Amino acid sequence: MKQSTSLSDDQKKAIDKLEKLRVGALFMDPGTGKTLTALNIISTSETDWVLFIVPFQTKQNLQDELDKWGFDMPYRIVGVETLSSSDRVYLELLEEFDKYNKPFIVVDESLKIKNASAKRTQRVFELGKKSYYRLVLNGTPISKNVMDLWAQMEFLSSKILNMSYDEYQNTFIDYIYHAETHHFEISNQVNIDYLYSLVRPYVFDAKLNLDIDSVHERWDYEIENKNNYFEAKEELLSRDSAEQEDLFLAFTAKMQHSYAIDQGKVEAIDDIIECEHHQPAIIFCKFVNAKEFFQDRYPSCKVLTYGKGTFGLNLQQYKLMIFADKTWDYAQLEQATRRIYRMGQTKDTKFYYLTGDVGLERLMDNCINNKVWVLNEFKKSSKKEKWLKDNL
């Protein structure tokens, strides 16, 4: 592998810490160069083969990085989704591990294995048992609460936490039981200092600091046609309490979709692009019809959707980003911003967050700002219909 002379101080510190270990976590902000850091850690190990497990849509991005840095060790790249969908690939990997003395597994975007009961996670666990070295990479290792962390640490080594899933849950989470709905709700995260003391020896955590400005602005606009929005809201209100909980996300998605390409939103984007002197922008949206519409209307812009568009892309050639649709997920939003605000960016960046004049938009902003999961807030309300009326 080519030696890099341009490692940042954080990258050097991460390598210095984790190269001494057989397991570790690079919880480095998107854009801080965690892939190059991982490759340097691998190169200092005694491994004779590497398995990279990544989100399927980032396989080519990783291949490009390996080629760029001249990574010359035997390796294989597998999409994490493939592990759950293909028995053939999974069995091939189990056999392949037996050919090597000290195999190394790298799980990139390790939040993808946060669900301990998921098939993909269970298979990653089994592959991990056959590896000599294990490394997880993620910019945002916790999306909702500390329960996201258990599977990632368990993959590295069960000795780190030394707790079953239930024991971990009982140690770090307080619950409230709602007798009327028979639901448990997370009320608080506790003993966090103790949790940190357990994982700290195996984790390197870096924040992104660039010598450029990053400007974030909210851009309010009026939704011209709210008829479908209010129809979906009234339909949700007409359901009983239990149905409302089950259908909340589906109906709020329907409400948000109703103004995905509303004329008021389109005019707002037009105004932003005019204000920014027609420089090429990245536009993030949630819905397929919106993506097609915006790509046709703004051919000089790059239109992406959350999920696929938030992972693995290096787009430092852009300086402007417009969030046409909001997301409930803080981790998704953070990943999205780091497509342009990342190492290698030399110019100031600017982010616009479109906000329509309906309650759903304000609710989504509040959830992101406070990093709370909306369903938990909804379930806390004893008068759910009033909660929906006040917030939507």
Side-chain angles (χ1 to χ4, degrees), residues 155-170:
F155 162 72
L156 293 179
S157 173
S158 60
K159 296 178 181 178
I160 295 176
L161 297 171
N162 198 27
M163 301 179 193
S164 69
Y165 185 86
D166 289 342
E167 289 170 334
Y168 178 87
Q169 184 172 260
N170 291 332

Side-chain angles (χ1 to χ4, degrees), residues 9 25 42 75 91 115 119 208 215 231 238 264 278 288 298 333 357 383:
D9 288 342
I42 293 168
Y75 67 87
L91 293 173
N115 183 351
K119 187 176 183 179
L208 181 61
V215 178
E231 285 178 6
S238 70
H278 296 274
V288 173
Y298 309 110
L333 186 63
D357 57 338
K383 299 180 179 178

Side-chain angles (χ1 to χ4, degrees), residues 48 92 94-101:
D48 48 356
E92 283 179 1
L94 289 174
E95 291 181 2
E96 198 157 6
F97 270 94
D98 294 333
K99 300 176 184 178
Y100 301 95
N101 294 319

Side-chain angles (χ1 to χ4, degrees), residues 221 223 228-230 232-233 249-262 265 284-287 289-290 306 323-328 354 358 360-361 364 392:
Y221 69 96
I223 298 171
N228 291 336
Y229 175 90
F230 287 118
K233 176 181 175 178
L249 290 179
F251 269 85
T252 52
K254 184 177 180 179
M255 293 160 68
Q256 193 178 16
H257 184 258
S258 71
Y259 55 89
I261 52 175
D262 183 84
K265 177 183 287 187
F284 265 97
C285 58
K286 290 181 75 170
F287 305 102
N289 67 321
Y306 293 106
F323 292 97
D325 294 323
K326 297 185 183 299
T327 175
W328 295 111
L354 269 64
V358 289
L360 177 60
E361 296 276 293
M364 297 181 84
L392 299 180

Side-chain angles (χ1 to χ4, degrees), residues 243-273:
E243 283 186 313
Q244 286 174 349
E245 285 189 17
D246 293 338
L247 297 172
F248 179 83
L249 290 179
F251 269 85
T252 52
K254 184 177 180 179
M255 293 160 68
Q256 193 178 16
H257 184 258
S258 71
Y259 55 89
I261 52 175
D262 183 84
Q263 184 61 28
K265 177 183 287 187
V266 174
E267 290 176 1
I269 297 175
D270 289 347
D271 290 343
I272 291 171
I273 291 176

Side-chain angles (χ1 to χ4, degrees), residues 48-143:
D48 48 356
W49 182 70
V50 185
L51 172 63
F52 294 96
I53 300 175
V54 302
F56 184 82
Q57 68 266 24
T58 69
K59 288 177 63 177
Q60 187 58 52
N61 297 330
L62 175 59
Q63 185 62 64
D64 293 343
E65 286 284 296
L66 298 180
D67 294 341
K68 174 182 177 180
W69 298 112
F71 188 75
D72 55 3
M73 193 172 294
Y75 67 87
R76 181 169 176 176
I77 303 172
V78 173
V80 67
E81 298 87 352
T82 303
L83 288 178
S84 57
S85 64
S86 174
D87 294 341
R88 177 187 59 80
V89 170
Y90 175 59
L91 293 173
E92 283 179 1
L93 291 172
L94 289 174
E95 291 181 2
E96 198 157 6
F97 270 94
D98 294 333
K99 300 176 184 178
Y100 301 95
N101 294 319
K102 294 183 178 180
F104 201 132
I105 293 186
V106 179
V107 179
D108 194 10
E109 303 299 348
S110 55
L111 202 57
K112 292 280 187 178
I113 62 165
K114 68 178 182 178
N115 183 351
S117 62
K119 187 176 183 179
R120 70 172 69 164
T121 305
Q122 292 298 315
R123 288 186 166 182
V124 170
F125 283 177
E126 291 304 310
L127 294 173
K129 293 175 183 177
K130 299 176 76 69
S131 66
Y132 189 79
Y133 299 97
R134 294 179 287 282
L135 186 67
V136 296
L137 318 179
N138 215 306
T140 313
I142 296 176
S143 176

Side-chain angles (χ1 to χ4, degrees), residues 127-349:
L127 294 173
K129 293 175 183 177
K130 299 176 76 69
S131 66
Y132 189 79
Y133 299 97
R134 294 179 287 282
L135 186 67
V136 296
L137 318 179
N138 215 306
T140 313
I142 296 176
S143 176
K144 295 179 183 178
N145 54 63
V146 295
M147 294 308 299
D148 293 345
L149 200 58
W150 184 84
Q152 298 175 72
M153 293 297 106
E154 185 71 8
F155 162 72
L156 293 179
S157 173
S158 60
K159 296 178 181 178
I160 295 176
L161 297 171
N162 198 27
M163 301 179 193
S164 69
Y165 185 86
D166 289 342
E167 289 170 334
Y168 178 87
Q169 184 172 260
N170 291 332
T171 302
F172 300 112
I173 295 291
D174 278 345
Y175 284 91
I176 296 174
Y177 177 64
H178 296 281
E180 69 279 7
T181 59
H182 304 290
H183 282 131
F184 286 93
E185 171 207 333
I186 295 176
S187 64
N188 197 20
Q189 301 177 98
V190 296
N191 301 320
I192 300 304
D193 288 344
Y194 174 48
L195 174 58
Y196 184 64
S197 73
L198 295 176
V199 304
R200 179 170 51 192
Y202 308 94
V203 170
F204 183 83
D205 190 352
K207 300 300 178 186
L208 181 61
N209 294 298
L210 302 178
D211 293 327
I212 59 174
D213 283 336
S214 178
V215 178
H216 298 256
E217 289 191 11
R218 170 174 152 170
W219 190 285
D220 294 313
Y221 69 96
E222 292 185 6
I223 298 171
E224 290 195 3
N225 186 353
K226 300 186 180 73
N227 292 339
N228 291 336
Y229 175 90
F230 287 118
E231 285 178 6
K233 176 181 175 178
E234 290 303 316
E235 187 177 353
L236 179 59
L237 286 169
S238 70
R239 306 288 180 132
D240 63 36
S241 181
E243 283 186 313
Q244 286 174 349
E245 285 189 17
D246 293 338
L247 297 172
F248 179 83
L249 290 179
F251 269 85
T252 52
K254 184 177 180 179
M255 293 160 68
Q256 193 178 16
H257 184 258
S258 71
Y259 55 89
I261 52 175
D262 183 84
Q263 184 61 28
K265 177 183 287 187
V266 174
E267 290 176 1
I269 297 175
D270 289 347
D271 290 343
I272 291 171
I273 291 176
E274 178 73 23
C275 180
E276 296 296 333
H277 308 292
H278 296 274
Q279 69 168 294
I282 295 175
I283 300 175
F284 265 97
C285 58
K286 290 181 75 170
F287 305 102
V288 173
N289 67 321
K291 180 180 181 182
E292 294 173 350
F293 177 86
F294 292 140
Q295 195 64 80
D296 183 61
R297 186 176 180 87
Y298 309 110
S300 65
C301 295
K302 188 174 187 69
V303 184
L304 300 173
T305 54
Y306 293 106
K308 183 175 182 179
T310 57
F311 288 116
L313 298 178
N314 301 326
L315 300 170
Q316 297 96 320
Q317 67 270 33
Y318 293 89
K319 322 302 175 193
L320 176 65
M321 186 172 287
I322 302 169
F323 292 97
D325 294 323
K326 297 185 183 299
T327 175
W328 295 111
D329 192 332
Y330 173 81
Q332 274 190 343
L333 186 63
E334 181 76 1
Q335 286 276 359
T337 62
R338 296 307 164 84
R339 296 313 97 211
I340 64 173
Y341 187 75
R342 59 189 298 116
M343 286 181 64
Q345 181 61 270
T346 59
K347 300 293 181 64
D348 293 345
T349 55

